[in-house]
Amino acid sequence: MAIRRILGTRRGALGTILAASLALAAPASAEEVVNVYTTREVALAKPLFDAFAEKTGIKVNAVFVKDGLAERVKAEGAASPADLLMTVDVGNLMDLVDQGVTQPVTSDVLSKAIPANLRGANGEWFALSMRARVAYASKDRVKLSAITYEDFADPKWKGEICIRSGKHPYNVALVAAYIVHHGEAKAEEWLKGVKANVARKPAGGDRDVARDILGDLCDIGLANSYYVGLMRSGKGGPDQEKWGAAINVIVPTFQNGGTHVNISGASVAKASPNKANAVKLLEYLVSPEAQAIYAQANYEYPVVPGAPIDPIIAAFGPLKVDQVDLVAVAKARKAATDLVDKVGFDN
Amino acid sequence: MSSAVTDRSDAADSGRALRWGAIAVAVVVLLPLASLVWTAAHGSGDLWPNLLRHVLPHALGQTLLLVIGVGIIAGGIGTGTAWLVAVCRFPGRGIFEWALLLPLAIPTYIQAFVYVDAVHPLGPIPTLIRGLLGISSPRGLWLPEVRSLPGCIVLLGLVLYPYVYLTARAAFLVQGSSVLEAARTLGAGAWETFFRIALPLARPALAVGVTLALMETVNDVGASEFLGVQTLTLSIYSTWLNRSSLPGAAQIALFMLVIMMGLVMLERWGRRHLSVANVGARLRPPARRDLTAGAAGLAMLACFLPLLFGFLLPAGHLAHMAWARWQFHGFPVSVAQEALNTALFAAAGTSVAVGAGLLIALALRTGALRSGLVPRLAGLGYAVPGTVLAVGLLVPLAGFDNLVSAASAQLFGVPTGLLLSGSGAALVIAYVIRFLVIPVGGLEAGFGKITPSLDMAARSLGERPRGVMRRIHLPLLRPALGTAALLVFVDCMKELPATLMLRPLNFETLASHVYAEAARGTYEDGAIAALLIVLVGLAPVILLARLSRPAQG
């Protein structure tokens, strides 16, 4: 009998859900909205969206889609509610353009604010913030003031390097940049060298690099710049503050270039029903106010030259952005992935 | 018209309805798979030389080792503990009987996060050991590496063994006292009874449980990714996302589907003698053996260890993390809404899946379906990685929406827009396709235990097919129905990949929340949501334990 009762209530629940989903599917025409699909966790972008809504009265609806953003928008086709597509990796952004789910935007505000190498030639994509792939080194055990990416393959680091999976977009982009700099053969040698130096399986996240250095599993590693801000600021709790305190940050460069950066960015969706609002949101995101939020809330580097940088990040010293073409880096991702597999980096 | 004639046409009608209903369900399951095949066929195949040389051999090897390892661990723990609680008497047995199911409430990815945190050199366990041994440097204490294939095997085995335990225990209880007592009077010892009688008789049930555990294993993405194990599922992801080749990913997925089919065949083969329907005699659970003090101690230990490492330790550590989090940041308000979303959608997915499963099982029973092909096809969704299934689902869903929208625009001048895609309905459909194999398999096995002579007797006494179902099948199927429903419910709650992909705007479940935090590397931020998944999962798991007891008296 109990089962029948439960099933009865379930049927009720189902009705509720169907009603709710129809309500969700119904277009909200009464108010001004902009719908954002993002591969970035909504929590990170929320302060920006809230500030935008406050300023303009336009409500931001966001969904965090980890994988398959392009596929989802493509399948939704002409009826897709998506206005703005945001990603955290240059490759993912190019994928959207290549899949034909974006549209070009002309905006003086955007082309004035964002340097030419950080946006698509026809306004198909725009970088909104930058992050650098930097070295975390043990405060107690490593005495170094400078390092190059090439150095990580040096046998002197044997058993001392911690790094996340080679298949993660952040590392794939780094390997792709290496290919653009030195060609595939040299990149393969380098990857083999780094692989020979790892202290543990390449897995986990970037923060784990700092934690493992504190735990004396390794002395040095490669990870993103903004995690240091998140750890040292105490936003992640007292434990993470200890991790952040255990490391020095050294900003590496390529031997013949600058520091590898990746971007977070956005494109306006091809079928955007609220295109004007999407452009407004984009323009807001490169305003001094929003760029400051990027810097303070997420500890990222602004794309707008001269915008302020958080003191924790500024303490790393000046950032000399590598001048390789981001589009070329994005194109080299497939070759980079093949190399990561070929040398069995994660195995 | 004489009643016999109406009766016959009634039966024919309901038979037809059943047949077409079952076929319709199978078609819905096949849609995303067909769309996958279509995607795969559009691939150029230029990735394969590289994949074959550098990726697939290793990934296939790792996947096979993982499957074998988890099969041995989950099978061993599940069968052993099930036997102990089913036929032995020892202190704490009554508690272990339900408590052994608890690890079911812990999703694999959460188990992985928790253990990596707990055995990190800075984590509680090594710190404690170092304190006891007086070692100051973290490097001074060697501990096994969790981020490895053996680590992954053990962790998955510890949370997946309840699938085996559940089916094995039910089988041992159903074997009833007569067989086992006969064995005993003939002088068979406990071990001999187990290995020569109970185990072979329980084999079909064990095959079902092990298959479920192994499908979960092959499907897992969160835990293996986190532990750095290069499985086939992960190579699907990297092919899709890093090589920007969905066709390539679809091709690997189909290759995996073949492997999964192999597992399903294995399960069929295990059940090929399933005409062991008991002959309607009322079953008494076997009289439990008293154990000597030493043996009872060992039995308690054998039941306690899986419970400790599979549930108590991870849940305890999670509670500790959540508590620390609470003090630091307070209770995240959104979590209550997420818990409600999770429970509602899991309930919807469950009711549809169990209904569809019952339809198919009934169609088989009544002979409306002649072959086992439709149920096999209906169970295929479980064999496809969740993300790939979701991608496959996107195209048919959007196609349906655009069709309806166009028709509505033609007829009423109002396009309906996206009805299913990006609404809750898409998610429910995905859950149903993914987990349909559980009610289909479970109810089929349930029907297998109801001797067909009951149906015939009822029909010869003038009962109509519908009446047979209502008055005979459903009451007897209650345990099987309940078990299937609860298993699907817990699975829906834990489901991650399809949920991430098909969620509507501004909609989060507990699982997507945990994953978002994990993606940022802030595992402890997700601790409260993770703990809630475990807590919300506890109620159905405990219900499961009660349901799976044989009806008394």
Side-chain angles (χ1 to χ4, degrees):
Chain A
M1 280 302 106
I3 286 292
R4 190 168 302 169
R5 262 209 305 282
I6 291 169
L7 280 176
T9 52
R10 288 221 175 137
R11 219 168 285 143
L14 186 60
T16 321
I17 285 168
L18 288 178
S21 59
L22 280 175
L24 272 171
S29 52
E31 51 175 353
E32 285 285 307
V33 294
V34 58
N35 298 321
V36 180
Y37 285 17
T38 166
T39 62
R40 171 169 239 192
E41 309 78 61
V42 174
L44 287 177
K46 208 166 163 24
L48 289 159
F49 295 159
D50 289 347
F52 174 71
E54 183 107 349
K55 221 181 162 75
T56 59
I58 300 170
K59 182 167 176 273
V60 183
N61 296 313
V63 64
F64 160 58
V65 183
K66 182 180 177 269
D67 305 318
L69 179 63
E71 285 77 9
R72 177 164 168 176
V73 178
K74 211 173 176 171
E76 288 172 351
S80 172
D83 294 306
L84 197 63
L85 310 175
M86 297 178 79
T87 76
V88 286
D89 166 64
V90 62
N92 289 342
L93 202 51
M94 302 294 163
D95 275 348
L96 294 178
V97 178
D98 291 342
Q99 298 256 7
V101 294
T102 64
Q103 58 171 307
V105 169
T106 38
S107 152
D108 287 346
V109 178
L110 293 173
S111 44
K112 263 204 200 74
I114 306 172
N117 62 332
L118 294 174
R119 54 186 161 84
N122 307 319
E124 328 73 336
W125 60 273
F126 300 93
L128 300 169
S129 66
M130 290 187 297
R131 57 282 302 282
R133 200 91 184 126
V134 298
Y136 295 1
S138 165
K139 251 193 189 137
D140 307 333
R141 303 185 296 272
V142 178
K143 300 286 171 250
L144 266 188
S145 55
I147 193 167
T148 63
Y149 293 108
E150 290 82 352
D151 288 342
F152 280 84
D154 186 332
K156 76 171 184 186
W157 295 117
K158 189 156 182 57
E160 295 299 352
I161 293 179
C162 278
I163 189 165
R164 80 188 308 163
S165 161
K167 292 194 175 79
H168 191 277
Y170 299 157
N171 281 338
V172 170
L174 176 63
V175 177
Y178 204 102
I179 292 174
V180 175
H181 272 281
H182 299 299
E184 274 189 51
K186 280 225 170 89
E188 184 178 338
E189 285 311 303
W190 178 72
L191 261 183
K192 274 190 188 141
V194 178
K195 163 81 184 152
N197 289 341
V198 295
R200 55 148 169 91
K201 243 184 199 292
D206 274 357
R207 281 179 231 228
D208 290 322
V209 173
R211 185 189 190 191
D212 289 349
I213 288 173
L214 175 61
D216 202 2
L217 288 171
C218 41
D219 285 347
I220 196 163
L222 279 167
N224 275 358
S225 50
Y226 54 85
Y227 288 114
V228 183
L230 290 167
M231 290 187 289
R232 286 188 186 167
S233 65
K235 282 187 184 179
D239 281 355
Q240 292 195 14
E241 255 184 286
K242 287 190 206 118
W243 309 348
I247 57 167
N248 279 323
V249 174
I250 310 165
V251 182
T253 58
F254 281 102
Q255 265 162 6
N256 52 354
T259 302
H260 170 70
V261 296
N262 205 329
I263 57 164
S264 80
S267 291
V268 174
K270 192 174 178 177
S272 167
N274 310 295
K275 185 182 169 181
N277 291 350
V279 176
K280 268 191 201 145
L281 178 54
L282 266 178
E283 289 175 347
Y284 169 76
L285 291 175
V286 297
S287 69
E289 180 190 334
Q291 289 285 301
I293 294 179
Y294 268 120
Q296 286 154 10
N298 298 339
Y299 304 96
E300 293 189 70
Y301 288 102
V303 289
V304 178
I309 297 171
D310 188 274
I312 296 177
I313 305 298
F316 304 164
L319 174 72
K320 184 183 150 205
V321 177
D322 196 31
Q323 286 306 307
V324 296
D325 179 16
L326 279 177
V327 180
V329 170
K331 284 207 167 72
R333 279 184 318 142
K334 183 177 168 302
T337 306
D338 287 347
L339 283 186
V340 168
D341 283 331
K342 192 174 170 186
V343 307
F345 192 81
D346 288 358
N347 299 353
Chain B
M1 211 188 267
S2 76
S3 73
V5 176
T6 49
D7 202 35
R8 202 166 314 138
S9 65
D10 248 15
D13 275 354
S14 67
R16 251 199 305 276
L18 273 178
R19 180 163 61 242
W20 288 109
I23 289 172
V25 171
V27 167
V28 171
V29 171
L30 286 177
L31 274 178
L33 299 180
S35 125
L36 268 187
V37 172
W38 190 80
T39 307
H42 280 69
S44 55
D46 59 344
L47 296 171
W48 280 86
N50 191 307
L51 287 175
L52 283 173
R53 216 176 23 244
H54 303 303
V55 183
L56 293 181
H58 182 75
L60 185 61
Q62 296 273 295
T63 304
L64 285 179
L65 285 173
L66 190 66
V67 163
I68 293 167
V70 172
I72 291 171
I73 290 190
I77 296 178
T79 315
T81 52
W83 174 251
L84 288 174
V85 301
V87 304
C88 302
R89 197 176 300 135
F90 54 93
R93 194 204 66 82
I95 295 172
F96 285 128
E97 190 169 33
W98 59 266
L100 278 164
L101 278 172
L102 292 177
L104 205 56
I106 299 193
T108 49
Y109 47 98
I110 290 179
Q111 173 88 341
F113 295 154
V114 169
Y115 266 94
V116 166
D117 193 72
V119 305
H120 189 274
L122 304 171
I125 296 174
T127 308
L128 181 77
I129 299 175
R130 281 202 307 272
L132 292 174
L133 299 177
I135 301 169
S136 57
S137 152
R139 273 199 199 194
L141 174 74
W142 181 90
L143 275 165
E145 175 62 84
V146 182
R147 286 186 197 137
S148 63
L149 180 64
C152 193
I153 287 174
V154 171
L155 293 191
L156 290 183
L158 281 170
V159 286
L160 296 177
Y161 81 80
Y163 288 106
V164 184
Y165 169 81
L166 193 68
T167 52
R169 181 168 143 268
F172 292 142
L173 288 173
V174 164
Q175 282 168 8
S177 43
S178 47
V179 181
L180 299 181
E181 275 158 19
R184 214 183 296 187
T185 51
L186 290 171
W191 289 104
E192 205 180 356
T193 310
F194 174 69
F195 281 108
R196 290 190 49 193
I197 296 164
L199 205 52
L201 275 175
R203 211 183 55 197
L206 292 182
V208 176
V210 171
T211 308
L212 282 180
L214 295 188
M215 289 207 170
E216 290 276 345
T217 304
V218 177
N219 235 321
D220 165 79
V221 64
S224 47
E225 178 182 29
F226 194 67
L227 300 173
V229 179
Q230 306 303 308
T231 58
L232 279 170
T233 309
L234 272 189
S235 54
I236 292 178
Y237 273 79
S238 71
T239 301
W240 173 27
L241 299 168
N242 295 340
R243 295 192 177 83
S244 313
S245 169
L246 186 62
Q251 288 160 358
I252 306 177
L254 290 174
F255 169 67
M256 255 181 81
L257 193 58
V258 173
I259 296 180
M260 289 288 216
M261 296 263 227
L263 281 178
V264 176
M265 302 266 203
L266 198 74
E267 188 244 1
R268 294 271 102 194
W269 177 81
R271 275 206 273 163
R272 72 192 184 285
H273 299 310
L274 202 74
S275 51
V276 277
N278 54 71
V279 204
R282 186 170 290 284
L283 282 176
R284 279 179 307 118
R288 295 202 173 89
R289 286 168 190 253
D290 284 315
L291 296 175
T292 60
L298 283 177
M300 282 169 71
L301 189 67
C303 289
F304 180 66
L305 288 179
L307 180 62
L308 175 68
F309 291 108
F311 182 79
L312 297 175
L313 215 127
H317 188 58
L318 206 51
H320 172 78
M321 276 162 96
W323 173 241
R325 193 64 220 151
W326 191 314
Q327 288 186 302
F328 180 68
H329 259 325
F331 187 79
V333 192
S334 60
V335 164
Q337 180 62 49
E338 287 159 9
L340 185 69
N341 289 347
T342 304
L344 274 179
F345 273 72
T350 304
S351 40
V352 180
V354 172
L358 186 60
L359 182 90
I360 289 175
L362 204 65
L364 262 183
R365 174 69 168 202
T366 56
L369 284 175
R370 294 261 180 277
S371 79
L373 181 66
V374 169
R376 290 299 67 71
L377 293 176
L380 274 181
Y382 207 62
V384 191
T387 307
V388 180
L389 182 83
V391 173
L393 205 53
L394 283 172
V395 176
L397 281 177
F400 174 85
D401 285 344
N402 292 330
L403 205 70
V404 172
S405 188
S408 157
Q410 281 284 324
L411 294 172
F412 312 112
V414 190
T416 49
L418 299 175
L419 280 176
L420 297 180
S421 323
S423 80
L427 207 51
V428 174
I429 293 170
Y431 288 165
V432 171
I433 295 177
R434 271 208 78 178
F435 302 126
L436 193 57
V437 69
I438 297 173
V440 169
L443 294 174
E444 237 186 291
F447 269 120
K449 292 199 196 93
I450 306 170
T451 170
S453 51
L454 272 182
D455 305 27
M456 293 168 203
R459 293 301 309 277
S460 67
L461 291 170
E463 185 60 270
R464 296 186 174 184
R466 225 161 282 177
V468 175
M469 183 179 101
R470 210 181 47 239
R471 295 173 56 186
I472 295 172
H473 290 158
L474 283 183
L476 286 172
L477 277 179
R478 241 177 59 185
L481 269 174
T483 304
L486 292 166
L487 267 182
V488 175
F489 185 85
V490 174
D491 265 343
C492 287
M493 271 195 50
K494 296 191 291 190
E495 208 286 339
L496 184 65
T499 308
L500 277 180
M501 206 160 156
L502 300 170
R503 294 199 324 287
L505 285 162
N506 301 338
F507 179 91
E508 296 287 343
T509 67
L510 289 172
S512 70
H513 175 128
V514 172
Y515 190 84
E517 299 290 5
R520 286 198 300 181
T522 47
Y523 317 114
E524 58 288 343
D525 287 7
I528 292 175
L531 190 65
L532 268 174
I533 293 186
V534 175
L535 292 178
V536 177
L538 276 186
V541 166
I542 290 169
L543 264 179
L544 249 183
R546 298 197 35 181
L547 258 179
S548 53
R549 287 193 193 141
Q552 299 290 331

